Amino acid sequence: MLRGKTALVTGSTSGIGLGIAEALAKQGAHLMLNGFGDPDEIEALRSRLARDHGVTVHYHPADMSDPEAIAALMRTALEAFGSIDILVNNAGIQHVAPIEEFPVEKWHAIIAINLVSSFHTIRAALPGMKTKRWGRIVNIASAHALVASPYKSAYVAAKHGIAGLTKAVALETAEHGITVNAICPGYVFTPLVERQIPDTAKARGITEEEVVKNVLLAAQPTRRFVTIAEVAALACYLTSDMAASITGALLPIDGGWTAQ
Ligand code: NAD
């Protein structure tokens, strides 16, 4: 369905981004991967995706907290593909701590990676989308774009920011065949969630098992983690032509969390 289209997925060496990248490749999209990891493992991933799905797959290691590195990523993608048809802003990090103890450098890193990087990628990708009169921007926000939790001040601020950015750019591009949406997942069991369990246990003074049962899954009426495949399927739907009238939307996929 996406045969011949090109897609850039930031933070696609792990978790949700990797799931979305693979789902897009399965539909025929050529890929630009990005993210951190062991270079040999990333090269193995790049060549496997190309082989399994018969698409061109490139990789760029840009640090999404660095505007110059992002500019280099966008230049490389545009040179490789001519234009980026599908932009998935997914790279993200988390840090859990009470605000008085929140490390200043973590605050800046979370705002830079989870919010500001999307400003840079979007503004570089839009001219090509406008020329083609077709484009899909999918921002991976969070249930934390809609509601807050304690001890996640930077993350909640960044995710609420990406919600606003999504709506503003959707309005600016609505007559150009471009849609801009945010997916707002609840808890998905990825390395990002796994890593925050010990800090949440410390911040709340409870055990790691209690964090999973009484904090993470307690937020979700379904009492189960959202799966990467479920988020990837929604992202693919948003890139389809049948989703042309969905723009500026903040779409929860959170097991009922934000319905409460
Ligand atoms: P993850 O840790 O598995 O993957 C994060 C990806 O981002 C990795 O590829 C990593 O290398 C990359 N990354 C991190 N910092 C980067 C940087 N400075 N530059 C370039 N790449 C960088 O995490 P995930 O859970 O898959 O998270 C992906 C997105 O989904 C994030 O934006 C996160 O906020 C969002 N999200 C996750 C959940 C969840 O429960 N896992 C829920 C809601 C939203």
Side-chain angles (χ1 to χ4, degrees):
M1 260 186 303
L2 297 175
R3 185 91 21 224
K5 297 270 196 260
T6 62
L8 163 61
V9 185
T10 69
S12 44
T13 52
S14 166
I16 294 170
L18 174 54
I20 292 174
E22 178 137 29
L24 294 173
K26 206 169 175 184
Q27 303 232 357
H30 302 300
L31 288 179
M32 174 62 78
L33 301 173
N34 157 259
F36 296 150
D38 175 77
D40 291 340
E41 283 176 23
I42 292 172
E43 174 49 27
L45 170 69
R46 191 201 62 73
S47 60
R48 181 185 68 73
L49 290 174
R51 192 179 56 244
D52 286 0
H53 304 293
V55 295
T56 303
V57 183
H58 296 288
Y59 163 75
H60 193 285
D63 177 342
M64 299 307 289
S65 68
D66 175 355
E68 281 181 24
I70 299 172
L73 162 66
M74 300 310 285
R75 262 197 317 274
T76 306
L78 291 169
E79 275 165 25
F81 292 140
S83 68
I84 298 163
D85 303 315
I86 298 165
L87 169 63
V88 182
N89 289 307
N90 167 81
I93 59 166
Q94 173 63 289
H95 186 79
V96 180
I99 191 153
E100 313 92 296
E101 292 161 25
F102 212 93
V104 172
E105 69 281 6
K106 286 281 182 204
W107 170 275
H108 287 303
I110 289 175
I111 300 296
I113 298 164
N114 296 19
L115 173 58
V116 180
S117 68
S118 301
F119 160 73
H120 292 294
T121 56
I122 289 170
R123 66 207 297 270
L126 272 183
M129 291 180 178
K130 283 187 173 168
T131 302
K132 283 192 162 177
R133 298 203 56 78
W134 197 95
R136 294 287 184 267
I137 299 175
V138 179
N139 297 322
I140 305 305
S142 168
H144 284 117
L146 305 168
V147 295
S149 297
Y151 315 123
K152 296 184 177 177
S153 53
Y155 189 84
V156 170
K159 295 299 185 180
H160 275 64
I162 199 84
L165 179 67
T166 300
K167 292 195 268 189
V169 182
L171 296 181
E172 289 184 31
T173 57
E175 292 183 49
H176 295 268
I178 298 165
T179 70
V180 189
N181 293 292
I183 294 180
C184 302
Y187 287 108
V188 186
F189 201 78
T190 66
L192 180 142
V193 164
E194 217 177 338
R195 277 193 299 268
Q196 68 185 269
I197 291 173
D199 288 343
T200 305
K202 200 171 137 220
R204 291 179 181 252
I206 57 178
T207 67
E208 295 189 13
E209 292 69 34
E210 285 169 329
V211 170
V212 172
K213 189 161 171 280
N214 301 339
V215 180
L216 304 184
L217 294 182
Q220 292 183 184
T222 50
R223 303 286 179 254
R224 55 178 278 275
F225 285 103
V226 177
T227 69
I228 291 174
E230 290 165 350
V231 178
L234 178 55
C236 279
Y237 175 67
L238 290 174
T239 65
S240 72
D241 284 329
M242 287 312 289
S245 297
I246 303 177
T247 195
L250 313 178
L251 298 160
I253 173 164
D254 63 3
W257 175 352
T258 56
Q260 298 172 98

